[in-house]
Amino acid sequence: MIFSKLKISAYTGWDYEYVEGTWSELMQKLKSGDIDLLSDVSYSEERTKDMLFSSIPMGTEVYYLFVSPDEKEITSENISSLNGKRIGITQGSIQKDFFIDWTEKRGIKTNIIEMTCPEEESIKMLGTKLDAIVTMDVYGSPQAAVPVFKIGSSDFYFAVNKERPDILYELDAALNRIQDENKYSVRNKGAFTDYIQNIQDKIDSGEQVEFAIGIFDCNNLKVINDCYGHDKGDIYLKKACQLICKIFDHSPVFRIGGDEFAVILQNDDYKNRETLAEQFTAECLRYQNNPSQNESCEESAVINEWEQINTAVGIAVYDPENENSVTDTMRRADKIMYENKRNLKKMLNS
């Protein structure tokens, strides 16, 4: 989800006065208190000394190394062609740290030139004063700049002046309300494929990525559909989906099959994954206070079966030492989920 400033103002009642400047100038104005709020700021521990960050990211940005469309020497097939080249990077940007880490892992030596002008002006220098530039994917175009290497990606946030925690409080309250409006919306399988491909690209580029995958399977959906109708099956799925979104409220949720959901756990949800998994299972069992122990239509449940949540979960953590792909992690999560499914049946039948 991308949070717009217009939508935030609807919740806070703020009126914005826009201040223009280059990225470096605006960052300095934020630190000095000349502006209160700056959008699209990547988080880093170093920056927390000078500014406050919103609790929820605005979105994710991707960084590429771009060259002129006429560039012949620097190619994606030959990474060593970057050796000795003049690489423009916006001064004070997070891209510089990403690029340094990226080149060190690949044994590349470049000449970094920190730019203070807007990215559009830096791109005009390609082929003359600069051999390449590292910037966000939005600045690329076939006519002006062609991406050659993906350098990395990161979430970006609203940043608030250090002396204005009152603004941060109102901002976080607005962001949470906006997120709550969309809390029970899930993405489809196509979006899931794109999401895990983005993670795979990070892995392939040498980034150190921490994530876990949760696979959820709604038990007895066929029985509910056959016994009570598909409209009751839809209610059952919605209730399961709501619980998944409620427990894993900082993670994207996807419906990847008729009765299957997936969650990508990163950041806080990744750190708290074991507690969240236990909480989810406990909630499912709470919904099973008076279930029918029979999966046939002959016996009615004491409470409506389609209003219960009987969902198995399996969470697997990406292991870079033993896995080369996101798919490997998914397989393990699926295996753990089926083990959980068997255990749930034993508990409910005991």
Side-chain angles (χ1 to χ4, degrees), residues 7 18 23 32 36 38 47 60 76 80 86 110 125 133 146 166 191 210 216 219 234 245 258 276 299 305 307 324:
K7 192 160 190 177
Y18 289 96
W23 177 253
S32 63
D36 302 305
L38 183 61
R47 285 179 174 173
T60 303
S76 57
S80 63
R86 301 162 298 174
T110 64
M125 301 179 192
I133 182 173
V146 179
D166 57 316
E210 280 190 337
F216 301 78
N219 298 322
D234 288 341
C245 292
L276 294 175
E299 294 184 27
E305 287 190 53
E307 292 179 339
N324 297 317

mmCIF file of all heavy atoms in Angstrom, residues 7 18 23 32 36 38 47 60 76 80 86 110 125 133 146 166 191 210 216 219 234 245 258 276 299 305 307 324:
data_model
loop_
_atom_site.group_PDB
_atom_site.id
_atom_site.type_symbol
_atom_site.label_atom_id
_atom_site.label_comp_id
_atom_site.label_asym_id
_atom_site.label_seq_id
_atom_site.Cartn_x
_atom_site.Cartn_y
_atom_site.Cartn_z
ATOM 1 N N LYS A 7 -4.486 11.677 1.392
ATOM 2 C CA LYS A 7 -5.319 10.835 2.243
ATOM 3 C C LYS A 7 -4.975 11.057 3.712
ATOM 4 O O LYS A 7 -5.860 11.061 4.575
ATOM 5 C CB LYS A 7 -5.130 9.360 1.872
ATOM 6 C CG LYS A 7 -6.179 8.456 2.510
ATOM 7 C CD LYS A 7 -6.292 7.137 1.795
ATOM 8 C CE LYS A 7 -7.496 6.354 2.291
ATOM 9 N NZ LYS A 7 -7.684 5.087 1.565
ATOM 10 N N TYR A 18 4.235 23.274 0.750
ATOM 11 C CA TYR A 18 5.306 22.533 0.084
ATOM 12 C C TYR A 18 6.560 23.395 -0.040
ATOM 13 O O TYR A 18 6.489 24.567 -0.409
ATOM 14 C CB TYR A 18 4.852 22.062 -1.298
ATOM 15 C CG TYR A 18 3.816 20.960 -1.226
ATOM 16 C CD1 TYR A 18 2.452 21.249 -1.307
ATOM 17 C CD2 TYR A 18 4.199 19.639 -1.048
ATOM 18 C CE1 TYR A 18 1.496 20.249 -1.218
ATOM 19 C CE2 TYR A 18 3.249 18.627 -0.961
ATOM 20 C CZ TYR A 18 1.907 18.941 -1.052
ATOM 21 O OH TYR A 18 0.964 17.945 -0.956
ATOM 22 N N TRP A 23 17.203 16.825 -3.025
ATOM 23 C CA TRP A 23 17.086 15.860 -1.938
ATOM 24 C C TRP A 23 18.010 16.220 -0.778
ATOM 25 O O TRP A 23 17.596 16.232 0.384
ATOM 26 C CB TRP A 23 17.402 14.465 -2.450
ATOM 27 C CG TRP A 23 17.376 13.422 -1.372
ATOM 28 C CD1 TRP A 23 18.441 12.785 -0.821
ATOM 29 C CD2 TRP A 23 16.220 12.935 -0.693
ATOM 30 N NE1 TRP A 23 18.024 11.921 0.160
ATOM 31 C CE2 TRP A 23 16.661 11.991 0.262
ATOM 32 C CE3 TRP A 23 14.856 13.199 -0.806
ATOM 33 C CZ2 TRP A 23 15.792 11.314 1.094
ATOM 34 C CZ3 TRP A 23 13.981 12.518 0.035
ATOM 35 C CH2 TRP A 23 14.457 11.589 0.968
ATOM 36 N N SER A 32 17.390 20.527 10.406
ATOM 37 C CA SER A 32 17.507 21.829 11.063
ATOM 38 C C SER A 32 16.171 22.365 11.564
ATOM 39 O O SER A 32 16.127 23.351 12.306
ATOM 40 C CB SER A 32 18.128 22.848 10.102
ATOM 41 O OG SER A 32 17.289 23.062 8.978
ATOM 42 N N ASP A 36 9.002 20.313 8.594
ATOM 43 C CA ASP A 36 8.557 19.385 9.650
ATOM 44 C C ASP A 36 8.509 17.941 9.190
ATOM 45 O O ASP A 36 8.706 17.027 9.995
ATOM 46 C CB ASP A 36 7.161 19.787 10.135
ATOM 47 C CG ASP A 36 7.120 21.206 10.663
ATOM 48 O OD1 ASP A 36 7.910 21.517 11.566
ATOM 49 O OD2 ASP A 36 6.292 22.000 10.160
ATOM 50 N N LEU A 38 9.073 15.044 5.787
ATOM 51 C CA LEU A 38 9.628 14.722 4.470
ATOM 52 C C LEU A 38 9.201 13.302 4.114
ATOM 53 O O LEU A 38 9.334 12.376 4.928
ATOM 54 C CB LEU A 38 11.155 14.829 4.486
ATOM 55 C CG LEU A 38 11.894 14.598 3.159
ATOM 56 C CD1 LEU A 38 11.469 15.612 2.116
ATOM 57 C CD2 LEU A 38 13.406 14.676 3.372
ATOM 58 N N ARG A 47 20.286 7.486 10.486
ATOM 59 C CA ARG A 47 19.343 8.592 10.320
ATOM 60 C C ARG A 47 18.451 8.805 11.533
ATOM 61 O O ARG A 47 17.920 9.894 11.736
ATOM 62 C CB ARG A 47 18.487 8.356 9.070
ATOM 63 C CG ARG A 47 19.242 8.610 7.776
ATOM 64 C CD ARG A 47 18.388 8.342 6.557
ATOM 65 N NE ARG A 47 19.083 8.727 5.336
ATOM 66 C CZ ARG A 47 18.642 8.485 4.112
ATOM 67 N NH1 ARG A 47 17.492 7.839 3.943
ATOM 68 N NH2 ARG A 47 19.328 8.874 3.060
ATOM 69 N N THR A 60 7.716 0.692 -1.134
ATOM 70 C CA THR A 60 9.043 0.139 -1.396
ATOM 71 C C THR A 60 9.601 0.750 -2.676
ATOM 72 O O THR A 60 8.871 0.905 -3.658
ATOM 73 C CB THR A 60 8.995 -1.393 -1.550
ATOM 74 O OG1 THR A 60 8.436 -1.957 -0.365
ATOM 75 C CG2 THR A 60 10.386 -1.967 -1.767
ATOM 76 N N SER A 76 25.476 -5.676 -18.790
ATOM 77 C CA SER A 76 25.029 -6.557 -17.718
ATOM 78 C C SER A 76 25.737 -7.910 -17.772
ATOM 79 O O SER A 76 25.794 -8.630 -16.775
ATOM 80 C CB SER A 76 23.506 -6.765 -17.804
ATOM 81 O OG SER A 76 23.145 -7.292 -19.066
ATOM 82 N N SER A 80 32.583 -6.639 -14.490
ATOM 83 C CA SER A 80 33.890 -5.999 -14.318
ATOM 84 C C SER A 80 34.040 -4.753 -15.182
ATOM 85 O O SER A 80 34.968 -3.966 -14.980
ATOM 86 C CB SER A 80 35.014 -6.995 -14.646
ATOM 87 O OG SER A 80 34.946 -7.404 -15.995
ATOM 88 N N ARG A 86 32.946 6.235 -13.449
ATOM 89 C CA ARG A 86 32.420 7.342 -12.645
ATOM 90 C C ARG A 86 30.924 7.103 -12.411
ATOM 91 O O ARG A 86 30.138 7.156 -13.352
ATOM 92 C CB ARG A 86 32.629 8.673 -13.364
ATOM 93 C CG ARG A 86 34.093 8.997 -13.685
ATOM 94 C CD ARG A 86 34.171 10.073 -14.747
ATOM 95 N NE ARG A 86 33.550 9.616 -16.008
ATOM 96 C CZ ARG A 86 33.370 10.391 -17.070
ATOM 97 N NH1 ARG A 86 33.754 11.660 -17.048
ATOM 98 N NH2 ARG A 86 32.803 9.907 -18.169
ATOM 99 N N THR A 110 34.919 1.361 -8.111
ATOM 100 C CA THR A 110 34.406 2.446 -8.945
ATOM 101 C C THR A 110 34.758 3.801 -8.338
ATOM 102 O O THR A 110 35.204 3.871 -7.192
ATOM 103 C CB THR A 110 32.870 2.356 -9.091
ATOM 104 O OG1 THR A 110 32.267 2.534 -7.797
ATOM 105 C CG2 THR A 110 32.459 1.027 -9.684
ATOM 106 N N MET A 125 23.868 13.997 -17.493
ATOM 107 C CA MET A 125 25.330 13.945 -17.537
ATOM 108 C C MET A 125 25.865 12.588 -17.985
ATOM 109 O O MET A 125 27.076 12.424 -18.154
ATOM 110 C CB MET A 125 25.914 14.274 -16.157
ATOM 111 C CG MET A 125 25.542 15.630 -15.625
ATOM 112 S SD MET A 125 26.251 15.914 -13.976
ATOM 113 C CE MET A 125 25.372 17.388 -13.470
ATOM 114 N N ILE A 133 24.755 6.041 -13.297
ATOM 115 C CA ILE A 133 24.141 6.671 -12.133
ATOM 116 C C ILE A 133 23.304 5.638 -11.401
ATOM 117 O O ILE A 133 22.684 4.769 -12.026
ATOM 118 C CB ILE A 133 23.270 7.885 -12.546
ATOM 119 C CG1 ILE A 133 22.681 8.573 -11.303
ATOM 120 C CG2 ILE A 133 22.187 7.487 -13.520
ATOM 121 C CD1 ILE A 133 21.946 9.862 -11.620
ATOM 122 N N VAL A 146 19.137 3.720 -19.216
ATOM 123 C CA VAL A 146 18.794 2.308 -19.347
ATOM 124 C C VAL A 146 19.328 1.546 -18.134
ATOM 125 O O VAL A 146 20.514 1.668 -17.801
ATOM 126 C CB VAL A 146 19.396 1.715 -20.635
ATOM 127 C CG1 VAL A 146 19.070 0.234 -20.755
ATOM 128 C CG2 VAL A 146 18.895 2.480 -21.858
ATOM 129 N N ASP A 166 4.972 15.341 18.304
ATOM 130 C CA ASP A 166 3.527 15.535 18.213
ATOM 131 C C ASP A 166 3.024 15.260 16.799
ATOM 132 O O ASP A 166 1.960 14.666 16.604
ATOM 133 C CB ASP A 166 3.158 16.958 18.639
ATOM 134 C CG ASP A 166 3.885 18.022 17.816
ATOM 135 O OD1 ASP A 166 5.102 17.869 17.584
ATOM 136 O OD2 ASP A 166 3.235 19.003 17.402
ATOM 137 N N ALA A 191 -0.158 -11.493 -7.603
ATOM 138 C CA ALA A 191 0.597 -10.557 -6.771
ATOM 139 C C ALA A 191 1.612 -11.299 -5.903
ATOM 140 O O ALA A 191 2.722 -10.810 -5.667
ATOM 141 C CB ALA A 191 -0.358 -9.746 -5.900
ATOM 142 N N GLU A 210 16.164 -11.179 5.180
ATOM 143 C CA GLU A 210 15.530 -11.923 6.270
ATOM 144 C C GLU A 210 14.027 -11.957 6.024
ATOM 145 O O GLU A 210 13.383 -10.921 5.935
ATOM 146 C CB GLU A 210 15.802 -11.248 7.618
ATOM 147 C CG GLU A 210 17.161 -11.531 8.206
ATOM 148 C CD GLU A 210 17.271 -11.025 9.638
ATOM 149 O OE1 GLU A 210 16.513 -10.107 10.005
ATOM 150 O OE2 GLU A 210 18.113 -11.533 10.384
ATOM 151 N N PHE A 216 -1.161 -21.137 4.961
ATOM 152 C CA PHE A 216 -2.371 -21.410 5.740
ATOM 153 C C PHE A 216 -3.338 -22.234 4.896
ATOM 154 O O PHE A 216 -3.549 -21.926 3.716
ATOM 155 C CB PHE A 216 -3.061 -20.108 6.152
ATOM 156 C CG PHE A 216 -2.204 -19.195 6.984
ATOM 157 C CD1 PHE A 216 -1.224 -18.404 6.397
ATOM 158 C CD2 PHE A 216 -2.373 -19.123 8.351
ATOM 159 C CE1 PHE A 216 -0.431 -17.555 7.160
ATOM 160 C CE2 PHE A 216 -1.591 -18.282 9.130
ATOM 161 C CZ PHE A 216 -0.608 -17.497 8.527
ATOM 162 N N ASN A 219 -9.164 -25.921 6.769
ATOM 163 C CA ASN A 219 -9.655 -27.295 6.821
ATOM 164 C C ASN A 219 -11.166 -27.357 6.597
ATOM 165 O O ASN A 219 -11.919 -26.466 6.989
ATOM 166 C CB ASN A 219 -9.332 -27.919 8.192
ATOM 167 C CG ASN A 219 -7.839 -27.982 8.436
ATOM 168 O OD1 ASN A 219 -7.064 -28.252 7.536
ATOM 169 N ND2 ASN A 219 -7.437 -27.706 9.669
ATOM 170 N N ASP A 234 -17.988 -19.261 1.690
ATOM 171 C CA ASP A 234 -17.397 -17.922 1.546
ATOM 172 C C ASP A 234 -17.291 -17.228 2.894
ATOM 173 O O ASP A 234 -16.292 -16.547 3.182
ATOM 174 C CB ASP A 234 -18.239 -17.079 0.587
ATOM 175 C CG ASP A 234 -18.095 -17.520 -0.863
ATOM 176 O OD1 ASP A 234 -17.103 -18.219 -1.169
ATOM 177 O OD2 ASP A 234 -18.967 -17.166 -1.676
ATOM 178 N N CYS A 245 -5.215 -11.806 8.787
ATOM 179 C CA CYS A 245 -4.841 -10.395 8.656
ATOM 180 C C CYS A 245 -4.710 -9.714 10.013
ATOM 181 O O CYS A 245 -3.877 -8.827 10.196
ATOM 182 C CB CYS A 245 -5.867 -9.654 7.808
ATOM 183 S SG CYS A 245 -5.901 -10.136 6.075
ATOM 184 N N GLY A 258 -7.834 -22.079 -3.585
ATOM 185 C CA GLY A 258 -9.215 -22.020 -3.122
ATOM 186 C C GLY A 258 -9.333 -21.919 -1.623
ATOM 187 O O GLY A 258 -10.166 -21.174 -1.101
ATOM 188 N N LEU A 276 3.462 -15.139 17.089
ATOM 189 C CA LEU A 276 2.290 -14.927 16.246
ATOM 190 C C LEU A 276 1.683 -16.252 15.808
ATOM 191 O O LEU A 276 0.447 -16.394 15.764
ATOM 192 C CB LEU A 276 2.669 -14.090 15.022
ATOM 193 C CG LEU A 276 3.092 -12.645 15.306
ATOM 194 C CD1 LEU A 276 3.556 -11.966 14.028
ATOM 195 C CD2 LEU A 276 1.958 -11.851 15.932
ATOM 196 N N GLU A 299 -24.535 -34.804 11.445
ATOM 197 C CA GLU A 299 -24.612 -34.158 12.735
ATOM 198 C C GLU A 299 -24.377 -32.670 12.564
ATOM 199 O O GLU A 299 -23.447 -32.258 11.887
ATOM 200 C CB GLU A 299 -23.564 -34.734 13.699
ATOM 201 C CG GLU A 299 -23.806 -36.179 14.071
ATOM 202 C CD GLU A 299 -22.811 -36.658 15.092
ATOM 203 O OE1 GLU A 299 -22.294 -35.825 15.862
ATOM 204 O OE2 GLU A 299 -22.541 -37.869 15.135
ATOM 205 N N GLU A 305 -20.805 -24.309 11.769
ATOM 206 C CA GLU A 305 -19.462 -24.740 11.379
ATOM 207 C C GLU A 305 -18.762 -23.699 10.522
ATOM 208 O O GLU A 305 -17.538 -23.547 10.582
ATOM 209 C CB GLU A 305 -19.535 -26.079 10.632
ATOM 210 C CG GLU A 305 -19.832 -27.264 11.536
ATOM 211 C CD GLU A 305 -19.655 -28.591 10.809
ATOM 212 O OE1 GLU A 305 -18.584 -28.796 10.237
ATOM 213 O OE2 GLU A 305 -20.602 -29.390 10.804
ATOM 214 N N GLU A 307 -18.838 -20.628 10.820
ATOM 215 C CA GLU A 307 -18.408 -19.480 11.619
ATOM 216 C C GLU A 307 -17.220 -19.826 12.504
ATOM 217 O O GLU A 307 -16.695 -18.963 13.208
ATOM 218 C CB GLU A 307 -19.577 -18.968 12.473
ATOM 219 C CG GLU A 307 -20.689 -18.356 11.634
ATOM 220 C CD GLU A 307 -21.849 -17.867 12.460
ATOM 221 O OE1 GLU A 307 -21.985 -18.348 13.602
ATOM 222 O OE2 GLU A 307 -22.605 -17.017 11.980
ATOM 223 N N ASN A 324 18.555 -21.959 -1.862
ATOM 224 C CA ASN A 324 18.929 -21.021 -2.916
ATOM 225 C C ASN A 324 17.748 -20.230 -3.453
ATOM 226 O O ASN A 324 17.937 -19.312 -4.253
ATOM 227 C CB ASN A 324 19.585 -21.772 -4.083
ATOM 228 C CG ASN A 324 20.874 -22.459 -3.686
ATOM 229 O OD1 ASN A 324 21.686 -21.866 -2.980
ATOM 230 N ND2 ASN A 324 21.055 -23.693 -4.119
#
